[in-house]
Amino acid sequence: MTGADLPASKKRGRDESKVTGRAAQAFNIPSEPTNTFPGYIAGVLALPPRGIKDAEGVGLCAQVFTVVSCQPGSLEVGVADPNDEGEFLFRSAQRFLLSAGEMFQVPPMNVYRVENHSKTVPCKLTWVIIKPTKQQQPEIEEEESVTSSPLSIRR
C-alpha cells in the first residue's frame, strides 16, 4: 500500500507540533446496488513521533479505528460536535489517551482529531469508514439540530 502525506492545518496552535502523518487506503467497497448493505473504505494511518492528524468531520459516515502500535498511553483521540462552521472545539471535545490494542469509534456528524504525544515511538492505526446506505441517509434541513452519540472506547 502506498500512503499519502496528510495535510497540515493552518489552524494549529503555536505550541502544537507541525508534524503530520501518512494514510493509505486498502479497500473501497461500494454499497450493494439494493442498498441493503453499506459500503466501506478501509486503510491505515501512520503517525510519527509528535505527529498529528488534524481535525476532520465524518459527515453521515461512521469511523472505527484500531490502535495497532504506539507507546502506551501516548495516542490522544478527541471527538467533538462541530461548531456552526464545522470546526473541532478543544474545550468541548471528549479526549482519551490510548495504547496498542484499543479501539475507538467516531459517530456520524462528529469531528475527530488524533495526536501521537510520544517523542520517540511512532503510532500505527487501522481505520474503517462505514458509509450510510441511501435508506439510512436522513434529509437534514439547514436549521435542524443533529445530536451525536458519545465516543466509545474498547479496551
Side-chain angles (χ1 to χ4, degrees), residues 70-76 96-100 102 115-118:
C70 73
Q71 180 178 316
S74 68
L75 183 70
E76 179 182 329
F96 300 89
L97 291 174
L98 304 179
S99 300
E102 296 182 315
E115 181 173 357
N116 179 6
H117 288 285
S118 175

Side-chain angles (χ1 to χ4, degrees), residues 55-58 77-83 86-95 105-113 148-151:
E56 179 178 14
V58 298
V77 58
V79 176
D81 286 329
N83 66 9
E87 297 173 336
F88 181 88
L89 299 175
F90 280 92
R91 290 184 192 149
S92 64
Q94 295 179 56
R95 297 190 291 182
Q105 65 132 349
V106 183
M109 306 307 294
N110 280 267
V111 176
Y112 74 99
R113 180 182 182 278
S148 63
S149 50
L151 173 67

Side-chain angles (χ1 to χ4, degrees), residues 3-152:
D5 291 334
L6 297 173
S9 170
K10 295 178 183 174
K11 297 181 182 184
R12 286 193 186 174
R14 184 181 316 159
D15 296 334
E16 288 185 287
S17 168
K18 304 301 181 224
V19 178
T20 61
R22 291 182 62 82
Q25 179 179 300
F27 305 103
N28 190 343
I29 309 301
S31 297
E32 183 183 77
T34 63
N35 282 313
T36 304
F37 299 104
Y40 65 93
I41 304 170
V44 296
L45 169 64
L47 288 176
R50 304 211 54 222
I52 298 172
K53 183 198 177 306
D54 286 311
E56 179 178 14
V58 298
L60 294 175
C61 297
Q63 291 194 14
V64 178
F65 291 81
T66 301
V67 183
V68 176
S69 62
C70 73
Q71 180 178 316
S74 68
L75 183 70
E76 179 182 329
V77 58
V79 176
D81 286 329
N83 66 9
D84 291 338
E85 288 80 41
E87 297 173 336
F88 181 88
L89 299 175
F90 280 92
R91 290 184 192 149
S92 64
Q94 295 179 56
R95 297 190 291 182
F96 300 89
L97 291 174
L98 304 179
S99 300
E102 296 182 315
M103 301 175 73
F104 66 95
Q105 65 132 349
V106 183
M109 306 307 294
N110 280 267
V111 176
Y112 74 99
R113 180 182 182 278
V114 181
E115 181 173 357
N116 179 6
H117 288 285
S118 175
K119 294 179 181 174
T120 58
V121 180
C123 288
K124 183 175 182 181
L125 298 94
T126 60
W127 51 265
V128 177
I129 299 171
I130 304 154
K131 303 176 196 176
T133 64
K134 292 204 184 293
Q135 299 162 337
Q136 295 170 319
Q137 295 180 12
E139 291 189 27
I140 300 173
E141 297 179 19
E142 288 183 34
E143 297 178 16
E144 183 179 344
S145 173
V146 177
T147 58
S148 63
S149 50
L151 173 67
S152 296

